[in-house]
Amino acid sequence: MSLDYQHVLDTIQSEVQPLLGQGKVAGYIPELSKISPERFGMAVYCLDGRAYMTGDADVKFSLQSVTKLFALALAFSREGDDIWKRVGREPSGNPFNSLVQLEVERGKPRNPFINAGALVITDILASRFVQPDLAVLQFARQIADEQGIDFDQTVAESERKTANRNSAIAYFMKDFGNLHNPVDAVIDSYCRQCSITMTCAELAKAGSFLANHGTIPWSGTQILGLSPAKRLNALMLTCGTYDAAGDFAFRVGLPAKSGVGGGILALLPGEASVAVWSPGLDPTGNSLAGTYALERFTTLTARSIF
Ligand code: GLU
């Protein structure tokens, strides 16, 4: 049955209004704290090419940790299952930038979506590409079919100047032998990768290959095989929304990856990819209005993976 997604998005756009401004914009990256928490945009990209949008769906925002998904997909497509020798596949039960578990688990991060895991993925890419951040950018351009997608140098520099904790994580892992390239190079690349900006419309389109079992729907290009695509969806569900993945699955019921810029990419496998952006975060670091919007999306459409 073909759904009237435009009506659903417009309903959600009016329902979220009271929530806008209630969340807290990420302040630890100085440049991100300048964004208004009142913004809200949402877009749906259907695998048959139909696209729907509401609110600020055409406004660029900082993807931050959503790019961890692209970096992981790129690394997984090149290295296959070898990546799991260096990074795990379990929820961490700790904040995304925690150092605690790393000591006990001897420098092997719990999953590729916490910062430690993402830094290992950047390191894997750094051993393969001269400029891993550029490789991720080019990959993002390919999966979004949009050559204009770029870094935000100001945000990258802002994060780089304050990246002490990520540097500490990287040095810690290097000490355990789980970081092969120079720490500074890995952190530089990671900060640039996180600064990539997209609109919700672009992000929904970029995620569609993951909703389509690993193949870009409009070109038929296979990025990942069936099994790796399934595995990435599973990781998004169990680890993609910080330390709230259980509650997110309970409320929304879709695999998703969020970022501290307030963006969330969610997948309705076999059907569509959904992107939402609202910079005000809840205490777990997920977009407050964005999570609510996705909860309403699966409720109003009666679509989820369950
Ligand atoms: N660049 C951010 C950091 O490493 C990304 C965090 C996030 O979006 O979760 O702190």
Side-chain angles (χ1 to χ4, degrees):
M1 184 184 57
S2 175
L3 266 173
D4 185 357
Y5 282 119
Q6 194 57 54
H7 179 68
V8 171
L9 291 189
D10 291 341
T11 304
I12 293 171
Q13 151 81 6
S14 68
E15 285 184 3
V16 296
Q17 293 307 309
L19 295 180
L20 304 184
Q22 282 192 27
K24 212 166 166 305
V25 176
Y28 75 99
I29 300 175
E31 204 56 31
L32 290 186
S33 64
K34 299 179 182 165
I35 316 284
S36 162
E38 311 275 333
R39 309 305 295 259
F40 175 84
M42 193 165 183
V44 174
Y45 186 84
C46 298
L47 300 185
D48 62 10
R50 286 173 300 141
Y52 303 88
M53 290 188 237
T54 194
D56 295 320
D58 255 338
V59 178
K60 298 254 188 205
F61 63 92
S62 193
L63 289 184
Q64 294 301 318
S65 274
V66 180
T67 64
K68 291 175 179 165
L69 180 60
F70 303 152
L72 175 62
L74 180 61
F76 203 9
S77 72
R78 301 300 171 105
E79 303 285 329
D81 283 327
D82 278 353
I83 62 175
W84 309 120
K85 292 180 188 149
R86 295 181 55 193
V87 60
R89 312 185 293 246
E90 286 291 345
S92 74
N94 279 299
F96 70 101
N97 57 2
S98 170
L99 275 141
V100 178
Q101 230 157 21
L102 270 183
E103 170 138 47
V104 186
E105 297 180 0
R106 306 199 55 78
K108 182 174 179 183
R110 274 284 172 106
N111 69 67
F113 292 147
I114 53 173
N115 282 10
L119 289 167
V120 167
I121 297 296
T122 301
D123 186 57
I124 289 171
L125 293 175
S127 298
R128 210 169 229 281
F129 298 98
V130 183
Q131 280 185 271
D133 47 306
L134 258 189
V136 175
L137 179 66
Q138 270 152 10
F139 181 69
R141 288 173 174 166
Q142 179 193 8
I143 57 176
D145 195 23
E146 179 52 67
Q147 290 307 307
I149 287 166
D150 217 336
F151 303 120
D152 180 330
Q153 297 295 355
T154 316
V155 169
E157 279 160 30
S158 178
E159 177 167 15
R160 186 64 185 93
K161 281 193 198 122
T162 53
N164 300 321
R165 182 176 276 262
N166 282 333
S167 300
I169 291 172
Y171 276 114
F172 208 43
M173 293 192 297
K174 197 162 185 63
D175 195 57
F176 282 108
N178 200 13
L179 205 93
H180 303 164
N181 294 279
V183 166
D184 278 344
V186 171
I187 297 290
D188 283 351
S189 181
Y190 171 80
C191 291
R192 276 198 297 271
Q193 169 201 306
C194 287
S195 81
I196 293 174
T197 62
M198 277 192 199
T199 67
C200 284
E202 289 165 345
L203 180 58
K205 197 168 176 185
S208 61
F209 79 97
L210 282 168
N212 193 36
H213 309 297
T215 295
I216 295 179
W218 63 88
S219 66
T221 309
Q222 188 181 60
I223 301 288
L224 291 170
L226 276 183
S227 173
K230 177 192 76 177
R231 296 189 192 296
L232 247 71
N233 274 257
L235 277 172
M236 290 170 77
L237 185 75
T238 53
C239 311
T241 44
Y242 302 113
D243 201 16
D247 195 54
F248 190 92
F250 180 86
R251 289 176 58 191
V252 177
L254 296 178
K257 182 70 202 93
S258 56
V260 293
I264 309 176
L265 171 65
L267 307 174
L268 193 50
E271 195 160 336
S273 166
V274 188
V276 61
W277 170 57
S278 189
L281 308 179
D282 67 18
T284 68
N286 293 305
S287 170
L288 188 139
T291 303
Y292 179 76
L294 288 167
E295 182 176 8
R296 292 298 293 145
F297 179 82
T298 49
T299 303
L300 291 170
T301 59
R303 299 275 213 279
S304 83
I305 62 164
F306 300 110

